[in-house]
């Protein structure tokens, strides 16, 4: 069976057209990199783009770069490029600031769309920062936060629908890789009269979220995981065009003003998605992200999804062969429609195992108390690497 799996890895890699995109990345030598759930690797186009921005645009043109080099338009221009991967039409995504800031903005703006409703509904499984921001926004707005298990969201929307202002959810459970149904949950929120806000940090670039098709209201996310924008690369916010003219900017910065250079004493939001801009954007970070997104050039998100499912499914097949009687169990759902882009493996000694894997050339990460996460990036991870990684995991556990 081991030989059969190795042969299957070679067959799968040879048959997939996305397998040829590996050279779009600068990958660490001698390492199987499976940490795109934390930080994607360096796309090959980024270094030259950033050097150009520093050595030519900034050094020679200085402030004229805002107009001559398109710095001013970059948040919306790069937002449109990213929007293609999110199923968002032009003029609905803007880049800037951090996920924390954008999530605060989205939550407060969403609640302002439903004044008189006292509840923000979210899950017990959300990432810690989202919990902190949700609690803070609720205190500021004198709202109540209700957290329920992900499987109980639709029932709670039916029972408490007239009280719920906002549903905050994430398509991907950041621990286990379980995938939730954006369309069904957004429809349930709308049926209850609530606004749907989605945190796309572990979905962007690897899972189709079809924001326009599902009529999502607002969404936010980071760009340094599967999108490979670099450490601390700027976040994004999606505001459905139907809400843009009434989007009440919680953090009104000069960049989002209708006349930013007029220096008015009072705030008047710009038309369209530009009013979701806040402060002066980081041009170098935007330059790196714009170059990084070229790794997705000519690639449809459905192609990415198909290869992702192939990689995660093959990981599970290898785990079924190699991890028997090791104390390790795959935690990620097996059904294709219920799993996202990473595979979580549960083991009581996860922290030590991940450390040892690193010394054996396999980069993975962990989430307390006992989960190992293997982020399989569809644009550069190969099935052969998956095979080798699970085989090495077996040796470490033995």
């Amino acid at each position: 069976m081991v030989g059969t799996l190795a042969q299957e890895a070679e067959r799968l890699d040879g048959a997939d057209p996305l397998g040829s995109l590996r050279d779009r990345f600068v990958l660490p030598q001698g390492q199987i990199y499976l940490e795109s759930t934390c930080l994607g690797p360096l796309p090959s186009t980024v270094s030259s783009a950033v050097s150009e921005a520093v050595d030519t645009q900034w050094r020679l043109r200085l402030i004229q770069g805002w107009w001559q080099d398109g710095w001013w338009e970059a948040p919306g221009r790069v937002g449109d490029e990213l929007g293609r991967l999110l199923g968002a039409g032009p003029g609905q995504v803007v880049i800037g600031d951090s996920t924390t800031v954008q999530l605060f903005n989205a939550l407060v703006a969403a609640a302002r769309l439903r004044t008189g409703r006292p509840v923000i509904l979210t899950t017990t499984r959300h990432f810690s920062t989202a919990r902190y921001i949700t609690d803070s926004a609720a205190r500021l707005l004198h709202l109540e936060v209700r957290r329920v298990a992900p499987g109980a969201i639709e029932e709670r929307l039916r029972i408490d629908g007239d009280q719920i202002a906002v549903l905050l959810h994430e398509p991907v459970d950041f621990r286990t890789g379980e995938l939730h149904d954006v369309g069904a949950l957004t429809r349930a929120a709308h049926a209850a009269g609530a606004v749907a806000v989605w945190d796309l940090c572990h979905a962007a670039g690897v899972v189709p979220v079809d924001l326009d098709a599902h009529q999502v209201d607002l969404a936010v996310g980071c760009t340094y995981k599967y999108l490979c924008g670099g450490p601390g690369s700027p976040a994004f916010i999606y505001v459905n065009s139907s809400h843009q003219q009434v989007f009440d900017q919680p953090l009104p910065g000069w960049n989002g003003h209708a006349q930013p250079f007029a220096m008015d004493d009072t705030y008047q939001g710009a038309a369209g998605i530009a009013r979701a801009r806040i402060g002066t954007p980081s041009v170098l970070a935007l330059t790196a992200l714009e170059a990084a997104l070229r790794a997705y050039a000519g690639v449809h998100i459905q192609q990415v999804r198909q290869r992702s499912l192939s990689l995660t499914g093959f990981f599970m097949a290898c785990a079924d062969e190699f991890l028997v009687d090791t104390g390790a169990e795959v935690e990620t759902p097996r059904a294709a429609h219920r799993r996202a882009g990473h595979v979580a493996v549960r083991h009581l000694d996860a922290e030590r195992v991940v450390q040892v894997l690193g010394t054996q050339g396999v980069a993975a990460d962990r989430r307390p108390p006992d989960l190992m996460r293997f982020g399989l990036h569809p644009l550069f991870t190969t099935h052969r690497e998956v095979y080798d990684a699970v085989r090495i995991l077996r040796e470490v556990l033995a």
Side-chain angles (χ1 to χ4, degrees), residues 330-392:
V330 172
E331 185 72 11
T332 305
R334 299 283 179 143
H337 72 281
R338 294 190 57 225
R339 68 176 189 265
H342 70 272
V343 177
V345 176
R346 189 176 298 280
H347 190 274
L348 291 175
D349 204 10
E351 181 175 6
R352 182 194 66 83
V353 172
V354 167
Q355 290 174 349
V356 177
L357 281 174
T359 69
Q360 301 299 309
V362 178
D365 83 307
R366 59 176 291 272
R367 284 293 177 265
D370 56 1
L371 283 180
M372 297 176 277
R373 297 194 308 174
F374 299 87
L376 315 177
H377 198 300
L379 298 193
F380 66 80
T381 303
T382 67
H383 294 82
R384 180 67 204 205
E385 286 181 318
V386 169
Y387 171 86
D388 288 339
V390 182
R391 178 181 53 79
I392 293 170

Side-chain angles (χ1 to χ4, degrees), residues 68-105:
Q68 293 184 21
D69 297 303
W71 295 353
W72 183 262
E73 296 82 13
R77 182 179 69 244
V78 182
D80 282 349
E81 182 61 28
L82 173 55
R84 181 180 71 85
L85 300 175
L86 305 176
Q92 296 180 105
V93 178
V94 73
I95 311 288
D97 301 277
S98 68
T99 308
T100 303
V101 170
Q102 296 292 13
L103 183 57
F104 175 84
N105 258 15

Side-chain angles (χ1 to χ4, degrees), residues 18-97:
L18 293 193
S20 64
L21 302 185
R22 189 175 170 86
D23 61 356
R24 295 185 180 185
F25 298 87
V26 180
L27 297 166
Q29 294 295 316
Q31 184 182 77
I32 300 172
Y33 188 77
L34 304 180
E35 287 197 88
S36 290
T37 46
C38 297
L39 178 66
L42 176 69
S44 57
T45 52
V46 169
S47 296
S48 60
V50 173
S51 294
E52 160 72 13
V54 171
D55 296 333
T56 299
Q57 298 174 12
W58 182 11
R59 182 170 70 88
L60 298 180
R61 291 192 278 276
L62 292 167
I63 196 171
Q64 294 304 316
W66 286 106
W67 297 276
Q68 293 184 21
D69 297 303
W71 295 353
W72 183 262
E73 296 82 13
R77 182 179 69 244
V78 182
D80 282 349
E81 182 61 28
L82 173 55
R84 181 180 71 85
L85 300 175
L86 305 176
Q92 296 180 105
V93 178
V94 73
I95 311 288
D97 301 277

